[in-house]
Amino acid sequence: MQLSLQAVQIYTPIVNRIISDTSATQHEVEYLMDYMLSLCHTEEFTNLFKKLCRGIFSRFPDTVYCYAKYYFEEYEDDYEGLVINKKFLRDNKFI
């Protein structure tokens, strides 16, 4: 639990910067999301990941769709046949 709390503390300012910095590139966002995706083992970190998704959706919708799909493939048992659309993302708090 200690490490997951540290991860949230470390990544929160980075997530906030990416959300507020409109000059952040898609490459920067994807790089961050790659690392974050591997740490979504706790609710707190998953919420931070979803906050990032919500914060960047207007600029990088395809990236959010892609990483939401990766998230469900990695962390959910029933991902087979999931249709990742706007309603699905909204219902699961990715946007």
Side-chain angles (χ1 to χ4, degrees):
M1 188 59 116
Q2 181 75 12
L3 287 177
S4 63
L5 179 59
Q6 285 179 319
V8 170
Q9 291 172 338
I10 290 167
Y11 277 85
T12 295
I14 298 168
V15 167
N16 290 338
R17 183 189 65 79
I18 291 290
I19 290 171
S20 65
D21 182 3
T22 57
S23 68
T25 67
Q26 184 170 354
H27 178 74
E28 287 177 291
V29 170
E30 290 174 353
Y31 187 78
L32 175 60
M33 292 181 90
D34 282 339
Y35 281 99
M36 289 185 73
L37 190 61
S38 66
L39 298 171
C40 288
H41 298 287
T42 64
E43 183 178 351
E44 293 83 7
F45 202 86
T46 299
N47 289 338
L48 185 60
F49 182 77
K50 289 179 177 182
K51 176 183 176 179
L52 175 61
C53 290
R54 288 189 302 272
I56 64 166
F57 184 75
S58 63
R59 291 181 285 159
F60 306 108
D62 291 340
T63 300
V64 172
Y65 281 113
C66 184
Y67 279 87
K69 181 177 184 289
Y70 293 155
Y71 171 85
F72 279 94
E73 288 175 354
E74 183 70 27
Y75 295 103
E76 301 296 330
D77 294 330
D78 298 329
Y79 73 88
E80 291 292 327
L82 280 178
V83 176
I84 308 290
N85 57 28
K86 206 170 193 175
K87 180 184 180 334
F88 181 85
L89 292 179
R90 192 174 293 112
D91 290 348
N92 287 279
K93 299 186 168 100
F94 280 88
I95 61 172

